Amino acid sequence: MTETIEAREPAAAGDKSRKVFIKTYGCQMNVYDSQRMGDALAKDGYRQTETMEDADLVLLNTCHIREKAAEKIYSELGRIRLLKADKALRGEELRVGVTGCVAQAEGREIIDRAPVVDLVIGPQTYHRLPEALARVAKGDKVVDTDYAVEDKFAHLPRAEAPQIRARGVTAFLTVQEGCDKFCTFCVVPYTRGAEVSRSFGQIMDEARRLADAGVREVTLLGQNVNAWSGEDAAGRPIALGGLLRALAEIPGLGRLRYTTSHPRDMDDDLIAAHRDLPTLMPYLHLPVQSGSDRILKAMNRRHTAADYLALLDRIRAARPDIALSGDFIVGFPGESDADFEATIRLVETVGYASAFSFKYSPRPGTPGADMDDHVDEAVKSERLQRLQALLREQQMAFAESLVGRDVEILVEKPGRYAHQRVGRSPFLQPVVAAADVGEIGDLVTVRIAATLPNSLLAEGSGAVRVGDARRVA
């Protein structure tokens, strides 16, 4: 929906030194969206600031996946109300916007509950942000949560090379939005809409601009990224595997990744791409959510535990060194002890390098919220603790399996100390290395000497292990 709610006295026009503070919640796609909003606002005279108190415009780019997401935003808006009032006493103006999935879900209610908000912009309409701000400057409050008919990516300004370089040598690139799977626990189809794929040409153009500006690794994003489909430059139909092959030909791009995938869209060509493309990293995030067929059916996942394990066998046959990541929900309505034990058995069978796990929490408007037999919170907490202990054990075992091995890392940034650099392994782990290992943006090979709880240490890093002060040569 798009509407003007009320009129006020026109605000004073801003100058060329206007500053915007963008706070991002949730997934990598929201990070990408925030960057693109920053690009659009840069064309409108805004510079980004890392300090909310310095801003003329505050945007909260919200996520609706986690529990009590909306209430957290209203709490933040309460603090911003005080900041806005303080600025007003000094004769300064602060405009406030809520964007993203909570904006889509709550719409006008946000302004009704928090009058400090000047505009509400959904995830499909943030390309219209400068236009909305112009209306706010005339005294309107604006809600724009249409599923835009036009292609928002075609209307967004291109990021300039200095902006890209400032973000580092890795970048996100959204290729697909929305989801048609309608898992009964998930709000994405309602906040992001149906599955839509960006055009091959748009994706290739953006990837080339990223590479030309010095980006060495690109992660393709989508709510259901392996549902991407399109036509290549010759008009031939292709899916994600074909897109990855085309991207692998771009000079300068040394690494490719993608997330998040659905098991039902993992086709033979995409599996073959993992076998054939050295630039496609051997790391796959493939959520299963539960190991119980009964719960998977209730979740509307449309695959069984056996289907999932058979798919992993095919993937590992194509790329034996692939590291697997997953998502798990414990305590879905009706989950019994036996259902949970099936999840534990699946995790033990797979052996994950990393994973995300959560207690089920109902989302208003989703089928799961209306189901009977919700699991007691104490039971959910106990199950989650047990699952997470097993997943941590597997993560540490995978990290320790790399000790003594040579691993290629992409050098991403300076380390905590002057004698260090931080890179990332093919398996997405941070790696602390010596400063002379290479320049930022270099792909270099290091030998792993030791592990930390959330990172690896390369030989020669001189690192001190926090907690037990164990030194690594």
Side-chain angles (χ1 to χ4, degrees):
M1 60 180 294
T2 303
E3 57 180 306
T4 298
I5 295 175
E6 63 182 45
R8 302 173 301 173
E9 290 300 315
D15 60 28
K16 293 183 179 180
S17 65
R18 292 177 299 179
K19 297 178 182 178
V20 57
F21 174 86
I22 304 176
K23 184 170 183 177
T24 305
Y25 299 79
C27 65
Q28 297 103 322
M29 187 171 288
N30 269 15
V31 174
Y32 175 86
D33 287 349
S34 291
Q35 291 174 349
R36 298 310 307 272
M37 283 189 278
D39 295 340
L41 290 169
K43 300 292 185 182
D44 206 38
Y46 283 91
R47 294 185 294 112
Q48 291 197 53
T49 176
E50 299 300 316
T51 306
M52 185 184 294
E53 289 73 14
D54 292 340
D56 304 288
L57 170 65
V58 170
L59 297 177
L60 304 182
N61 190 18
T62 61
C63 174
H64 208 271
I65 295 297
R66 302 292 171 241
E67 187 175 10
K68 299 180 180 177
E71 293 307 315
K72 291 176 182 177
I73 299 305
Y74 288 119
S75 177
E76 182 72 16
L77 288 171
R79 291 187 285 271
I80 293 172
R81 178 180 60 81
L82 299 177
L83 174 62
K84 188 169 185 173
D86 185 58
K87 279 180 169 284
L89 290 175
R90 302 196 303 268
E92 301 172 6
E93 186 175 52
L94 176 64
R95 292 171 183 156
V96 181
V98 177
T99 70
C101 291
V102 172
Q104 187 71 39
E106 299 281 305
R108 176 174 179 157
E109 184 180 352
I110 292 175
I111 293 178
D112 290 342
R113 287 186 58 180
V116 67
V117 175
D118 298 293
L119 68 156
V120 177
I121 299 286
Q124 303 304 329
T125 52
Y126 67 75
H127 60 296
R128 299 204 287 251
L129 183 57
E131 174 189 333
L133 284 169
R135 291 162 59 192
V136 169
K138 293 177 181 178
D140 297 334
K141 286 199 173 186
V142 177
V143 174
D144 191 349
T145 53
D146 277 343
Y147 287 105
V149 175
E150 70 269 25
D151 182 352
K152 73 177 179 185
F153 295 102
H155 289 77
L156 284 167
R158 294 182 177 185
E160 302 295 337
Q163 293 170 301
I164 296 172
R165 282 194 289 270
R167 293 168 185 159
V169 295
T170 66
F172 296 129
L173 200 170
T174 292
V175 302
Q176 181 272 340
E177 288 195 339
C179 187
D180 294 342
K181 297 296 186 288
F182 287 93
C183 297
T184 55
F185 54 81
C186 187
V187 298
V188 166
Y190 312 101
T191 57
R192 289 277 183 169
E195 290 177 356
V196 177
S197 295
R198 286 184 73 184
S199 74
F200 175 83
Q202 279 185 3
I203 295 166
M204 294 298 293
D205 286 346
E206 186 168 342
R208 291 188 188 100
R209 290 198 304 275
L210 292 171
D212 290 344
V215 168
R216 301 285 278 130
E217 176 181 296
V218 167
T219 300
L220 307 184
L221 299 179
Q223 268 87 28
N224 190 22
V225 68
N226 56 344
W228 183 89
S229 63
E231 294 182 348
D232 66 13
R236 296 169 298 203
I238 58 170
L240 186 62
L243 176 62
L244 287 163
R245 287 185 172 84
L247 291 167
E249 297 297 320
I250 295 177
L253 285 187
R255 286 182 164 186
L256 294 170
R257 304 182 188 272
Y258 62 91
T259 195
T260 290
S261 303
H262 194 287
R264 285 178 57 83
D265 290 317
M266 198 79 194
D267 63 22
D268 290 341
D269 187 53
L270 182 53
I271 294 172
H274 279 280
R275 178 195 65 207
D276 299 337
L277 299 178
T279 53
L280 180 55
M281 292 297 94
Y283 177 89
L284 176 62
H285 184 65
L286 192 63
V288 62
Q289 306 300 356
S290 174
S292 162
D293 288 348
R294 192 175 71 84
I295 296 300
L296 288 170
K297 184 176 181 180
M299 290 177 167
N300 194 37
R301 292 291 291 173
R302 292 183 284 178
H303 63 77
T304 65
D307 294 335
Y308 181 80
L309 293 173
L311 175 60
L312 296 188
D313 286 343
R314 290 166 54 210
I315 294 167
R316 282 171 160 160
R319 188 69 192 256
D321 64 337
I322 201 161
L324 294 168
S325 174
D327 285 350
F328 294 90
I329 295 173
V330 301
F332 189 78
E335 183 187 71
S336 65
D337 289 342
D339 294 322
F340 177 69
E341 291 301 328
T343 297
I344 292 293
R345 288 195 300 273
L346 182 141
V347 172
E348 290 172 340
T349 299
V350 173
Y352 287 92
S354 66
F356 302 93
S357 52
F358 311 94
K359 291 188 294 184
Y360 173 74
S361 59
R363 296 293 176 266
T366 61
D370 297 326
M371 289 181 177
D372 297 327
D373 200 14
H374 281 253
V375 178
D376 182 78
E377 284 297 317
V379 174
K380 286 195 283 189
S381 295
E382 186 277 329
R383 289 176 182 172
L384 182 63
Q385 290 175 12
R386 185 177 162 201
L387 175 61
Q388 289 182 338
L390 174 58
L391 291 169
R392 282 194 299 271
E393 179 183 313
Q394 292 187 347
Q395 180 178 346
M396 289 306 299
F398 177 76
E400 289 165 3
S401 74
L402 300 177
V403 174
R405 289 175 51 184
D406 290 338
V407 172
E408 184 182 71
I409 67 170
L410 172 61
V411 183
E412 293 186 1
K413 59 184 179 181
R416 181 176 180 182
Y417 303 105
H419 60 276
Q420 293 175 340
R421 290 270 196 269
V422 176
R424 200 165 291 271
S425 78
F427 312 110
L428 213 57
Q429 303 137 305
V431 179
V432 180
D436 61 1
V437 72
E439 300 300 320
I440 293 173
D442 287 348
L443 286 164
V444 299
T445 299
V446 299
R447 179 157 293 180
I448 303 303
T451 65
L452 289 174
N454 298 302
S455 62
L456 302 173
L457 299 177
E459 288 184 353
S461 62
V464 177
R465 185 167 183 171
V466 177
D468 63 7
R470 182 166 66 87
R471 293 188 176 273
V472 178

